[in-house]
Amino acid sequence: MSDAFLSHAPEDASWATELASRLAAHGVRVFLDEWSLLPGDVVVHRLEAEIRDTANALALISPASVASPRAHEEYAALATAGARRDLRFIPLLLGDVTLPPFAANRIWRDFRDVGAQEYDAKVAELAAVILGRAPDPATGHADSLAAALPAPPRPLTPPDEPGVVLCYVPADAAYGQALAGQLRAAGLPTWSVGDLRPGDAHFWTIRQRLRYATAIVMLMSPQSQDSDDVTRMILEGLLHDRPFFPVLLHGDRNYHLAHTWYLDARDGRLPGPDELALLRRLHDARAAGRPLDAADVLPAPLARPPVRAVRIPAATSLDGLDHALRQGEWAHADLLTTSLLLEAAGRLDDGWLRARDARRLPPGVLTGIDALWSTHSHDRQGFTAQARTATVRGTRHAEFLALSVACGWRGSETDGVERSYREFTAAAGPGGRPGFYPTLRNPQNERFPDWYDQWTATVLATHLHLHHEGIVR
């Protein structure tokens, strides 16, 4: 039985043969048409048997393969096998070609315009992955972090060992690798985005790890701030109520984590004993399934003056909200909406709004948010939809209770609301109960005793300003 099945278009046979030879030099047994098919073989049956039995599949994606019906048939068979069983399906890009959708949710490798030294490194990494060895960390994962497509529809099952998850962009990989080594040396089970291997289901794997993380270490830098991947990782962690341990490497703090304790590592230092002890407490509490103690989650004194969160242009934030709503990611869009309003009012670092703060909200931002929610939900969601069910006229708690019941945030005025943000949003259902969104709940605040009062104040302040500006009636 071969270690890897190499699929390619006939026009790419020379390149495929060279790759197979290089892999064979590393000890990989490759099934290649030109080598492996024997006289008398029934080609279809032999290929089916190899695809059924192999544990790894390499698919050359090239201009020739995109136009090749035979290559399409093999790719379809490999993708189906990868969805049904534990087959590592690794797309390899070759020539002037764009990654097709069927391969975009897999970790791929880019062989376009690579020099001899880089080519050898990529082949060595492939061989290590196929043979179950640890690849050289220097090969990284930068090729495929741009493939930010939705995860395949698979249930998120617990990993073998839930632990600390370390997230960073390729530009911060050197610090990320050093930090991962430090955490593991300290006895903390750690998974990082640098552990993604060719053939992994990209966002399914990341979401799985984030869903069951005991803590999320997020490296913050200008490059990570601009990364859609990082934004989705943060939103996924917030959705599942995972504790964050942000580390500031350069620039300003990520605006999604503005109201969170962070480690200032702009001098390049790794966490010290006190920070590692905090991370250990977070991990132990989550691993044991017990609530976090106040000492674990309250902001600690910072060695330097606080660094404010970066400000994001409203148009950019609205584009992100539009994308999340187009993808049907209601909870992600809800979190983006809250961050956008807090940023527009200059209250990111506080995490909630007072009436005088809401008066600073630009009408264009409010109407833009309302229009996006309304458009993507067929008028079922948004501030206007909420105002149709209950109109806020004052700042009394009774006003908030009436709106909460009308929006489905609680069953009646005597009922409480779900303490977990994920359970809270799950009550809306897949399409969102009419008027449920946006909720303006900030999961970062919910580790503090007065989170409910802050949420109430934010909702009432926003709705009163909407009414004052004539955006809702």
Side-chain angles (χ1 to χ4, degrees):
M1 183 178 70
S2 61
D3 297 314
F5 182 100
L6 178 51
S7 178
H8 63 88
E11 294 83 348
D12 298 323
S14 177
W15 197 93
T17 301
E18 175 63 20
L19 175 63
S21 298
R22 296 292 189 96
L23 290 172
H26 286 278
V28 178
R29 295 169 297 175
V30 180
F31 179 90
L32 184 67
D33 291 0
E34 289 76 7
W35 290 359
S36 307
L37 291 175
L38 302 174
D41 281 346
V42 179
V43 175
V44 173
H45 294 169
R46 181 72 190 280
L47 294 179
E48 287 179 349
E50 288 293 335
I51 291 173
R52 182 180 64 248
D53 294 337
T54 192
N56 301 276
L58 307 176
L60 298 191
I61 310 296
S62 70
S65 73
V66 169
S68 169
R70 174 183 167 185
H72 278 228
E73 290 178 3
E74 287 189 3
Y75 296 165
L78 293 170
T80 300
R84 291 179 178 175
R85 63 180 179 84
D86 189 20
L87 168 69
R88 184 175 293 276
F89 179 42
I90 309 173
L92 307 177
L93 271 64
L94 179 65
D96 185 14
V97 66
T98 301
L99 195 70
F102 77 86
N105 61 15
R106 293 283 175 174
I107 296 295
W108 40 271
R109 280 296 174 259
D110 193 347
F111 280 86
R112 296 171 295 187
D113 301 321
V114 298
Q117 185 174 357
E118 187 180 0
Y119 176 86
D120 290 341
K122 287 178 181 289
V123 172
E125 182 200 20
L126 285 177
V129 169
I130 291 168
L131 297 175
R133 302 170 184 162
D136 182 349
T139 56
H141 60 286
D143 283 351
S144 51
L145 276 182
L149 295 184
R154 294 169 56 190
L156 294 176
T157 55
D160 294 337
E161 184 181 26
V164 175
V165 173
L166 174 56
C167 301
Y168 55 86
V169 294
D172 301 326
Y175 185 95
Q177 291 165 8
L179 179 55
Q182 182 198 38
L183 298 181
R184 289 165 181 150
L188 286 166
T190 302
W191 182 90
S192 83
V193 292
D195 295 323
L196 286 167
R197 296 291 173 244
D200 285 347
H202 184 193
F203 271 96
W204 183 90
T205 302
I206 293 175
R207 280 179 161 165
Q208 176 206 39
R209 294 290 178 170
L210 293 173
R211 169 66 179 84
Y212 293 99
T214 54
I216 299 173
V217 179
M218 181 64 64
L219 302 192
M220 299 186 294
S221 67
Q223 294 87 350
S224 71
Q225 179 71 65
D226 295 336
S227 168
D228 290 337
D229 283 358
V230 166
T231 295
R232 292 185 66 172
M233 292 175 199
I234 293 174
L235 295 177
E236 194 73 15
L238 291 173
L239 176 61
H240 293 293
D241 192 29
R242 300 296 94 182
F244 279 88
F245 187 98
V247 179
L248 178 62
L249 298 184
H250 312 287
D252 301 318
R253 290 185 293 137
N254 190 293
Y255 75 107
H256 289 297
L257 299 175
H259 198 39
T260 302
W261 177 93
Y262 67 97
L263 170 65
D264 190 345
R266 288 175 293 169
D267 57 3
R269 72 185 183 96
L270 291 169
D274 291 343
E275 290 92 6
L276 288 176
L278 171 59
L279 192 55
R280 166 64 68 182
R281 292 198 301 271
L282 291 175
H283 169 73
D284 289 347
R286 286 292 185 179
R290 62 174 175 81
L292 298 174
D293 296 327
D296 298 334
V297 296
L298 292 178
L302 298 171
R304 301 180 180 180
V307 178
R308 294 191 66 84
V310 66
R311 293 185 65 85
I312 300 298
T316 301
S317 298
L318 288 172
D319 286 344
L321 177 60
D322 182 40
H323 178 75
L325 289 169
R326 287 181 185 276
Q327 299 297 319
E329 295 179 337
W330 300 98
H332 283 191
D334 189 38
L335 295 169
L336 286 170
T337 298
T338 303
S339 293
L340 176 54
L341 290 182
L342 292 173
E343 193 279 332
R347 292 280 289 179
L348 274 172
D349 293 274
D350 302 282
W352 62 287
L353 297 177
R354 302 160 299 190
R356 64 177 180 271
D357 303 318
R359 289 194 287 271
R360 295 199 294 267
L361 292 172
V365 171
L366 292 169
T367 55
I369 290 171
D370 191 39
L372 287 173
W373 276 103
S374 177
T375 298
H376 291 294
S377 66
H378 306 289
D379 295 324
R380 289 166 53 92
Q381 309 295 344
F383 297 128
T384 300
Q386 292 174 350
R388 285 198 298 264
T389 61
T391 303
V392 173
R393 300 294 187 185
T395 58
R396 295 179 301 114
H397 187 241
E399 302 271 353
F400 180 71
L401 287 175
L403 182 66
S404 296
V405 174
C407 293
W409 299 342
R410 54 171 27 102
S412 71
E413 293 189 2
T414 59
D415 291 339
V417 294
E418 292 288 353
R419 184 66 173 82
S420 160
Y421 179 79
R422 178 171 177 78
E423 293 173 346
F424 173 70
T425 55
R433 173 171 169 169
F436 190 90
Y437 293 111
T439 72
L440 304 186
R441 272 185 69 162
N442 184 358
Q444 293 184 72
N445 284 13
E446 294 173 10
R447 61 187 187 274
F448 304 123
D450 56 349
W451 73 272
Y452 179 86
D453 294 335
Q454 293 176 349
W455 177 37
T456 300
T458 300
V459 171
L460 293 178
T462 302
H463 274 265
L464 280 174
H465 187 60
L466 286 162
H467 180 72
H468 180 266
E469 293 291 328
I471 297 171
V472 301
R473 302 292 182 184

